[in-house]
Amino acid sequence: MPALTRNKKKGAKSQTPPTKQVTKPRTPPSKTQSKPQTTTLKKGAKKPPLKKQKKEVVVEEEPLEEDDEVVSDASIDSESEELDESDDEGGKGSNGFFSDDEEENDDDDETLGDDFLEGSGEEEEEEEEEEEGPSDVGSDSDSDEDDDDLVKQSEAIDRKLAKQKADADAEQQELNKQDESEHDAFRLPTEEELEEEARGPPDLPLLKTRIEDIVRALKNFKAFRPAGATRKECVEQLKADLGSYYGYNSFLIGTLVEMFPPGELMELIEAFEKQRPTSIRTNTLKTRRRDLADVLLNRGVNLDPLSKWSKVGLVIYDSQVPIGATPEYLAGYYMLQGASSFLPVMALAPRENERIVDVAAAPGGKTTYIAALMKNTGLIYANEMKVPRLKSLTANLHRMGVTNTIVCNYDGRELPKVLGQNTVDRVLLDAPCSGTGVISKDESVKISKTADEIKKFAHLQKQLILAAIDMVDANSKTGGYIVYSTCSLMVAENEAVIDYALKKRDVKLVTCGLDFGRKGFTRFREHRFQPSLDKTRRFYPHVHNMDGFFVAKLKKMSNMTKSSEDDDEAVETVEQDEVSDDDDDEAEAIEENRNKERRTKSKEDKRSKKDKKSKSENGNVEPKARKQKKKRSEWKNEIAQAREEKRIAMREKAKEKK
């Protein structure tokens, strides 16, 4: 059948319109539906409509003649053109459309027989390719439109941000103008105004605003200088206002002003007004920090690990039970201890099987930490001078399960005489101090500490550090270290003491082993210290959120000493070294003379007491003492003579036997 070989696409177009119109006969085509009609025309060659067409062909094959099967290409083209024209006419009804093309439809159905079904797969692929073309174009156009929308949105956002920035700059300029106007209005009070303020109670809001104004002026004195005022006047007024607002005496607030710049000074003072967080130390002799934390969390304690630098510390935020009365506390699983108290022991770094001295041990937090690091090996001398504090020291040692510690009650300056010089591996000296770093715990420090007391503490600390150095053996295989620490911020109690020790003993400063903390002062006002003092560490409440603390670590290089070694005056040797120092003040010399006078008075009192006792027993004292001495000498002579006689007799007997 050569007549059936024709263009498949055209045949598909001629076949599809009748099938579509049959399904929806009453819906007239619209302009908006022109594009989808072309696609439906192409989709008309799919299999579902072909099955219907096949049925129609089977029904209508009987009356057809052979001549009708021969269809020319020209007639098919004309039919397709007519169909296109009919599609373009959107206003016509469905009846007219079917009436004109029914016969042509039937002819097409007859001529599209088996050949059309055989080529259906290829037609579908070609039609899908044709359909993909316009769809891709549509998607590209849509993507371009989306890109345009994104660009517009981004431009709108940029405009909005620029507007916000401009508004912020304008507000900042207005604030700066206001500050300048306020600054122009700020001035230091006159003497009359100060007198009026002194008559009445302190005006706290006025003091607060004036302190802020002076601090801002001192930060940039060139730009915010009060009219007709010098820097010295501003500083003096700041000292007076801080003292009256926060309750400090003139000496302490003056020292803090000299140590810190104005902005940092305000942060420090504000930090002193707040309590430091409660911290505990896990006793590794009995438990682990993880297990202890789990138990305390179950008891309603809100806690967290202390910090990265500590493996045993926990910080307590709040607790539903008293943290110092839990079964775990009574069992010795942890110790209530400030975070700053961890630092000296960490710097000391004790090792197992060493001999260590804790010069000021009470209440035992540092001593028990040392014992835990040593795993109850070696030997610890826990010394405490004050007898009432020995109870808490021994109680904590027993509660924490420490078994390698000897508690002793001596003056720390006499320990080299008691324990011996060059006999221990390490010494921890947490020296008694003014406590200016723990004002948040004891606010009485604000008004109680004076320059004379600071000098007394510094004098005592110098004596103690020399005694601690003398106890350490420089030839120790594992040790030879001294750690000096205070809870004070005063330079006279910290850097000045270490500088004095470096001059008087053969020691050197080494790193503390602490990764944080500020370096110590190498110069302070008129004082100049050794450059190695930058290895010391200072800790502040406003920076490290712990009590103010100072830590220094010394290494003893040799056992040489410059002090005299009199058995009866072990304490006076340290004092002689201090007198020979050129940097000591006259107050130290006066205090030294007072100590000597006290010793002579105590000796005289003891002698007078003995004399009184002897007089009560016998009227004359000197003859009795002489008689006793004579009797003792006679007894000794008699014993010696008896021994010699026995020896002579033994020798004679031995000769006779021979």
Side-chain angles (χ1 to χ4, degrees):
M1 295 176 65
L4 294 175
T5 58
R6 59 184 181 178
N7 191 355
K8 297 176 183 180
K9 293 181 182 179
K10 291 181 180 180
K13 289 180 181 178
S14 63
Q15 183 65 24
T16 52
T19 58
K20 183 177 180 182
Q21 295 296 333
V22 169
T23 56
K24 294 181 180 180
R26 293 182 182 181
T27 55
S30 61
K31 293 180 180 180
T32 57
Q33 292 178 352
S34 61
K35 290 183 180 179
Q37 279 180 359
T38 56
T39 57
T40 52
L41 287 173
K42 294 177 183 178
K43 290 180 181 178
K46 291 184 180 180
K47 290 181 181 180
L50 289 176
K51 290 181 181 179
K52 294 180 181 180
Q53 291 172 2
K54 191 173 182 180
K55 290 179 181 179
E56 293 175 359
V57 170
V58 173
V59 175
E60 296 176 358
E61 266 182 1
E62 294 178 356
L64 289 176
E65 297 179 357
E66 293 181 356
D67 297 335
D68 295 333
E69 293 178 357
V70 180
V71 181
S72 64
D73 295 336
S75 63
I76 294 169
D77 294 335
S78 63
E79 289 173 0
S80 62
E81 290 176 358
E82 290 176 358
L83 289 173
D84 294 334
E85 291 176 357
S86 65
D87 292 336
D88 294 335
E89 295 175 357
K92 290 183 179 182
S94 62
N95 293 330
F97 181 81
F98 278 105
S99 64
D100 294 337
D101 297 333
E102 277 181 354
E103 294 179 357
E104 294 175 1
N105 242 346
D106 295 336
D107 295 339
D108 291 335
D109 292 338
E110 292 170 2
T111 55
L112 295 174
D114 297 333
D115 293 337
F116 181 77
L117 292 174
E118 289 176 359
S120 62
E122 296 176 358
E123 290 176 359
E124 289 177 2
E125 292 178 358
E126 292 176 358
E127 289 171 359
E128 288 177 358
E129 291 177 357
E130 290 178 359
E131 291 174 1
E132 288 175 357
S135 65
D136 292 339
V137 174
S139 63
D140 293 338
S141 63
D142 294 338
S143 63
D144 293 338
E145 292 177 357
D146 294 338
D147 293 338
D148 295 337
D149 294 338
L150 291 174
V151 171
K152 291 178 181 178
Q153 291 176 1
S154 64
E155 290 177 354
I157 292 170
D158 293 338
R159 287 194 296 272
K160 187 176 180 180
L161 292 175
K163 186 178 180 181
Q164 291 177 355
K165 187 176 180 181
D167 295 339
D169 293 338
E171 291 178 359
Q172 186 65 32
Q173 290 177 359
E174 291 178 358
L175 291 174
N176 292 334
K177 290 180 181 178
Q178 292 178 1
D179 291 339
E180 290 177 358
S181 61
E182 291 178 358
H183 169 67
D184 294 337
F186 167 68
R187 60 178 180 80
L188 292 179
T190 61
E191 295 181 358
E192 296 177 355
E193 293 175 352
L194 292 176
E195 289 177 358
E196 291 180 359
E197 291 180 5
R199 292 172 186 172
D203 188 358
L204 297 181
L206 177 62
L207 290 175
K208 184 68 174 177
T209 55
R210 191 160 64 198
I211 288 170
E212 292 176 354
D213 292 336
I214 295 174
V215 169
R216 184 173 64 250
L218 291 175
K219 286 182 180 178
N220 190 359
F221 194 72
K222 185 176 181 180
F224 301 104
R225 178 179 180 177
T230 62
R231 188 180 187 88
K232 185 178 180 181
E233 293 175 352
C234 292
V235 172
E236 293 297 328
Q237 186 62 44
L238 180 63
K239 291 179 184 179
D241 291 343
L242 288 175
S244 58
Y245 188 83
Y246 292 99
Y248 287 85
N249 60 15
S250 59
F251 163 73
L252 188 55
I253 198 67
T255 306
L256 294 177
V257 168
E258 292 174 354
M259 290 179 63
F260 299 97
E264 188 175 1
L265 174 65
M266 293 305 301
E267 295 177 2
L268 176 66
I269 293 175
E270 290 293 339
F272 279 146
E273 299 300 315
K274 301 176 183 178
Q275 293 293 328
R276 303 276 74 76
T278 304
S279 58
I280 62 175
R281 178 182 57 80
T282 307
N283 183 14
T284 55
L285 295 174
K286 293 187 175 183
T287 185
R288 296 184 302 174
R289 183 171 70 171
R290 182 182 301 174
D291 299 336
L292 177 63
D294 293 339
V295 173
L296 293 178
L297 286 171
N298 293 331
R299 293 193 181 278
V301 181
N302 186 11
L303 52 83
D304 273 330
L306 180 60
S307 184
K308 295 180 180 179
W309 51 266
S310 176
K311 297 181 180 179
V312 294
L314 292 170
V315 59
I316 307 296
Y317 298 114
D318 54 39
S319 176
Q320 298 179 2
V321 295
I323 200 65
T326 61
E328 289 75 24
Y329 176 81
L330 299 175
Y333 286 175
Y334 64 89
M335 180 85 176
L336 281 168
Q337 191 171 357
S340 57
S341 298
F342 291 35
L343 306 175
V345 181
M346 295 174 64
L348 186 65
R351 298 185 182 181
E352 298 180 15
N353 300 314
E354 285 186 340
R355 290 166 61 90
I356 296 178
V357 177
D358 189 356
V359 179
K366 300 179 183 66
T367 306
T368 53
Y369 194 7
I370 294 171
L373 293 176
M374 294 174 66
K375 299 179 181 179
N376 262 341
T377 61
L379 183 62
I380 302 173
Y381 294 101
N383 180 69
E384 177 56 41
M385 180 180 176
K386 297 180 180 179
V387 176
R389 304 188 70 184
L390 291 174
K391 293 181 180 179
S392 61
L393 174 59
T394 54
N396 284 323
L397 290 174
H398 287 299
R399 183 175 62 85
M400 302 292 281
V402 177
T403 58
N404 64 340
T405 301
I406 298 173
V407 179
C408 51
N409 175 227
Y410 289 101
D411 188 347
R413 295 169 291 187
E414 297 179 357
L415 282 178
K417 182 180 177 181
V418 177
L419 301 178
Q421 294 185 353
N422 310 324
T423 56
V424 299
D425 297 312
R426 298 172 194 257
V427 173
L428 173 61
L429 174 57
D430 187 18
C433 62
S434 60
T436 53
V438 290
I439 294 176
S440 57
K441 292 181 180 178
D442 184 11
E443 292 188 356
S444 64
V445 177
K446 294 180 179 180
I447 57 175
S448 61
K449 303 304 176 185
T450 60
D452 294 335
E453 290 190 4
I454 300 299
K455 290 179 181 179
K456 290 179 181 178
F457 280 116
H459 182 69
L460 176 62
Q461 290 157 0
K462 291 177 181 179
Q463 293 178 350
L464 289 173
I465 195 170
L466 292 182
I469 293 171
D470 291 339
M471 282 189 289
V472 174
D473 184 12
N475 299 323
S476 174
K477 295 181 180 179
T478 59
Y481 295 100
I482 305 98
V483 171
Y484 174 83
S485 63
T486 65
C487 56
S488 173
L489 302 180
M490 300 292 104
V491 176
E493 298 181 75
N494 297 327
E495 285 85 356
V497 175
I498 298 298
D499 188 70
Y500 174 79
L502 293 173
K503 292 177 180 178
K504 291 299 174 182
R505 296 290 186 269
D506 189 10
V507 293
K508 70 173 183 178
L509 276 167
V510 295
T511 56
C512 297
L514 302 172
D515 298 333
F516 63 106
R518 291 190 178 179
K519 296 180 180 180
F521 291 104
T522 56
R523 54 180 1 183
F524 178 70
R525 296 183 67 81
E526 71 274 8
H527 301 287
R528 298 294 179 268
F529 305 120
Q530 296 189 18
S532 60
L533 278 166
D534 60 354
K535 295 180 180 178
T536 61
R537 288 292 176 266
R538 281 177 165 265
F539 303 91
Y540 299 113
H542 66 287
V543 178
H544 308 100
N545 197 20
M546 62 177 66
D547 294 329
F549 226 75
F550 175 82
V551 180
K553 188 174 183 180
L554 297 166
K555 168 70 174 174
K556 190 173 182 180
M557 305 306 295
S558 66
N559 293 327
M560 296 175 60
T561 57
K562 299 178 182 179
S563 61
S564 61
E565 297 180 355
D566 297 334
D567 295 336
D568 296 333
E569 298 179 354
V571 181
E572 292 180 2
T573 56
V574 183
E575 294 176 357
Q576 290 174 3
D577 292 335
E578 287 194 8
V579 173
S580 63
D581 189 9
D582 297 334
D583 297 334
D584 287 339
D585 299 331
E586 294 178 0
E588 294 181 356
I590 295 169
E591 194 171 336
E592 184 181 347
N593 294 328
R594 289 178 181 175
N595 291 330
K596 289 181 180 180
E597 291 176 0
R598 290 173 185 173
R599 292 191 192 92
T600 54
K601 287 181 181 179
S602 62
K603 290 179 181 180
E604 290 176 359
D605 293 338
K606 290 179 181 179
R607 290 176 183 176
S608 63
K609 289 179 181 179
K610 290 180 180 180
D611 294 340
K612 289 179 181 179
K613 289 181 181 179
S614 60
K615 286 179 181 179
S616 62
E617 293 176 356
N618 295 318
N620 297 324
V621 180
E622 293 181 358
K624 186 178 179 181
R626 289 176 182 176
K627 288 179 181 178
Q628 287 178 355
K629 288 182 179 179
K630 289 179 180 179
K631 288 180 180 178
R632 288 176 183 175
S633 61
E634 290 176 357
W635 294 340
K636 290 180 181 179
N637 293 329
E638 290 176 358
I639 292 170
Q641 290 177 0
R643 287 177 180 175
E644 290 178 358
E645 290 176 356
K646 287 181 181 180
R647 289 174 185 173
I648 293 169
M650 292 291 289
R651 289 173 184 174
E652 290 178 352
K653 289 179 181 180
K655 290 179 180 179
E656 290 177 355
K657 288 180 181 180
K658 291 180 179 179

